[in-house]
Amino acid sequence: MVDPMHFEASADDYAAARPPYPAGLWERLRTLGLLRPGATALDLGAGTGQATGPLLEAGLRVTAVEPGPRLAALLRAAHPAADVRVCRAEDVELAASAVDLVVAATSIHWMDVDVLLPKIYTILTPTGRLAVWRNVFGDADASTTPFRARIAEIIAARRAPPRPGPPAEDIDATIEALTTSGLFVVTDVSTYRWTLELDAAAIGRLFRTFSDWSAGEVEQAVEAVNDPGGTVTEHYSSWLVVLAPIERLSAQ
């Protein structure tokens, strides 16, 4: 089983290498009325603040929950305006109807949704929303580059069994997990495609933050960048799912 605290050991790389979420995603949240100045937000599995920062910049009051002490320290240093809590998302304690927006950005797959969703349902305001999104590293719909072909070879050569369950990138499986309880209904779904130019050092930093990549595999990925000339254009995608508490939605 992949260790969810893997990121704690590579906290500095995580802060430096994880790319921001695409501008279109933030614009969609704004269009939906979820980035209201003065509103309260809860960022679950906040890492080093890739979502916390833009939420604060939009004028929201943010509680950021991160279980890794090193990651949380970097998060607190980068975003001192946030209320940073070092605990699991499942263990956070907030008053009922205290939060307008709950966010899980590239983190929900690490959480026990059977425990988490009833808690989110309780702490959301009557008009609150749950927004879940993730970056997908490697756009399946983009043309296969030589670098991506080499990455596929590295993955295919693995002997360790894959992580159990559906892939974390699978939006349909994520939606099913978030709605099976009957507490939430999907109100909006959107996807975004984007690219990033990376050199060998940047690839090394980024791939070291991937929980299912060994040190040897990361070195192979770095070598795959050096072979075609030292830089690669990585094609990525992101998806966003917004959900509402189902009984409260019907009462609005």
Side-chain angles (χ1 to χ4, degrees):
M1 174 67 72
V2 176
D3 181 7
M5 294 300 285
H6 164 90
F7 310 107
E8 179 72 357
S10 55
D12 292 330
D13 281 330
Y14 196 99
R18 284 291 175 120
Y21 295 105
L25 185 150
W26 292 107
E27 184 56 35
R28 185 60 185 162
L29 291 172
R30 188 171 291 106
T31 299
L32 293 172
L34 301 181
L35 299 183
R36 304 187 310 277
T40 54
L42 176 64
D43 184 6
L44 300 175
T48 54
Q50 285 71 19
T52 303
L55 289 169
L56 288 169
E57 290 170 7
L60 282 76
R61 293 176 289 129
V62 182
T63 298
V65 175
E66 169 51 50
R70 290 186 63 212
L71 288 165
L74 292 171
L75 170 62
R76 188 177 284 114
H79 305 293
D83 173 10
V84 178
R85 304 194 184 186
V86 184
C87 66
R88 300 187 315 150
E90 297 91 332
D91 298 329
V92 68
E93 295 295 337
L94 290 170
S97 299
V99 176
D100 298 300
L101 175 65
V102 175
V103 164
T106 315
S107 62
I108 196 71
H109 56 293
W110 294 116
M111 301 169 190
D112 184 342
V113 294
D114 291 336
V115 173
L116 183 63
L117 291 179
K119 178 166 288 193
I120 293 174
Y121 186 89
T122 298
I123 66 176
L124 277 174
T125 62
T127 58
R129 293 293 185 268
L130 167 62
V132 176
W133 69 82
R134 71 169 293 120
N135 283 342
V136 180
F137 295 96
D139 185 351
D141 294 329
S143 58
T144 302
T145 64
F147 175 75
R148 269 290 144 189
R150 178 64 185 127
I151 295 302
E153 292 174 355
I154 295 170
I155 294 172
R158 287 177 178 163
R159 296 183 179 180
R163 179 176 169 172
E169 296 86 356
D170 188 332
I171 186 173
D172 293 328
T174 301
I175 289 173
E176 181 177 359
L178 294 173
T179 56
T180 298
S181 68
L183 294 174
F184 289 89
V185 61
V186 173
T187 59
D188 195 76
V189 177
S190 53
T191 58
Y192 310 88
R193 301 178 70 184
W194 48 284
T195 60
L196 196 63
E197 192 80 12
L198 298 169
D199 60 16
I203 284 289
R205 287 192 299 268
L206 177 60
F207 276 56
R208 279 193 293 272
T209 71
F210 293 165
S211 58
D212 53 352
W213 278 72
S214 69
E217 290 172 340
V218 172
E219 288 306 310
Q220 293 179 63
V222 170
E223 292 171 4
V225 180
N226 286 325
D227 289 344
T231 61
V232 294
T233 300
E234 276 283 71
H235 296 268
Y236 296 140
S237 63
S238 304
W239 49 254
L240 165 67
V241 179
V242 177
L243 305 99
I246 193 165
E247 291 183 7
R248 298 180 188 179
L249 181 67
S250 62
Q252 292 174 23

